Amino acid sequence: SNRPTGRPRGPNILVTGTPGCGKTSTSSMLANATGLRHINVGEFVRTNELHDGWDDEYSCYIVNEDKLCDELEDTMCEGGNIVDYHICEFFPERWFDGVVVLQTDNSVLYERLTARGYSGRKLSENMECEIMQVVLESARESYKPEIVMAMQSNTVEDMDRNVETLKGWIDVYARTRSV
Ligand code: ADP
Ligand code: MN
């Protein structure tokens, strides 16, 4: 059989995409609907101090990727995690059963990022990241393309549909793998 080795608590899903695309909203809704554990990586890095200080230019922490991956390893081996982060390429490939890339139309994303207080270079670089589909390309390079799911995230209806789709996907995973 080609079943992956057991994840006692269920599949691990990476929810990624440009900042503002809806990762945290979607992940927390999916966690509530399924009982899976939501790991907001940005928060996890802050609370566990898995960074090497503050980047003034980009107003964000400089993540220590090795420390972060070490800290998450046992949890990821248990399974049943929804990992929410805008960067996808430094996690071990073996961690994830599914990789979701959320995508948002330019005008919608622009509104969300300005509402969040982004301006100048931080705003333009994130807009460019979405326009160039940087995260989707990076996900397809870092994981088997067949586990990468691109999903539109413009409206609340989109979010509801994405959560339903993923809930169904998780149910199938549970039914087809002896856990
Ligand atoms: P991310 O975690 O990817 O940065 P958030 O989940 O924090 O994004 O969402 C950013 C903002 O956009 C929030 O105010 C959220 O309510 C809103 N939002 C996200 N996704 C959607 C969506 N599909 N439809 C409507 N609003 C959304
Ligand atoms: Mn977020």
Side-chain angles (χ1 to χ4, degrees):
S1 131
N2 61 359
R3 289 174 179 181
T5 50
R7 307 225 202 259
R9 294 173 50 102
N12 289 323
I13 301 169
L14 175 61
V15 178
T16 190
T18 307
C21 65
K23 298 179 296 294
T24 300
S25 316
T26 304
S27 298
S28 77
M29 202 188 248
L30 184 61
N32 284 333
T34 59
L36 266 56
R37 184 196 286 127
H38 175 195
I39 300 173
N40 181 328
V41 172
E43 269 174 23
F44 189 82
V45 164
R46 285 192 296 277
T47 32
N48 296 286
E49 297 189 16
L50 306 170
H51 54 77
D52 301 318
W54 181 256
D55 183 333
D56 267 329
E57 191 180 352
Y58 289 96
S59 307
C60 64
Y61 284 107
I62 301 155
V63 175
N64 186 316
E65 298 170 1
D66 292 337
K67 277 191 195 165
L68 170 61
C69 290
D70 284 351
E71 193 71 26
L72 282 173
E73 174 67 21
D74 291 350
T75 304
M76 296 306 292
C77 288
E78 285 173 12
N81 299 292
I82 302 163
V83 175
D84 156 6
Y85 202 49
H86 63 285
I87 300 167
C88 68
E89 62 259 22
F90 65 80
F91 298 119
E93 188 184 354
R94 64 184 160 78
W95 275 3
F96 296 107
D97 305 292
V99 175
V100 176
V101 182
L102 297 177
Q103 299 193 290
T104 303
D105 290 346
N106 301 337
S107 56
V108 178
L109 187 66
Y110 187 89
E111 290 298 324
R112 287 186 198 159
L113 292 179
T114 50
R116 193 182 261 188
Y118 284 25
S119 64
R121 191 160 165 185
K122 193 162 177 173
L123 175 62
S124 58
E125 290 191 355
N126 281 303
M127 289 303 302
E128 189 176 321
C129 171
E130 184 64 3
I131 292 162
M132 302 301 287
Q133 302 199 316
V134 170
V135 181
L136 181 60
E137 215 163 282
S138 163
R140 287 180 174 152
E141 282 167 10
S142 308
Y143 301 92
K144 290 197 188 78
E146 59 266 32
I147 74 160
V148 177
M149 301 169 258
M151 294 182 173
Q152 211 57 36
S153 179
N154 294 316
T155 63
V156 172
E157 290 72 29
D158 288 340
M159 189 159 16
D160 289 344
R161 192 192 54 244
N162 294 338
V163 169
E164 279 310 304
T165 302
L166 291 167
K167 203 165 164 275
W169 182 90
I170 292 162
D171 287 343
V172 170
Y173 182 99
R175 267 188 276 116
T176 54
R177 289 170 178 79
S178 42
V179 290

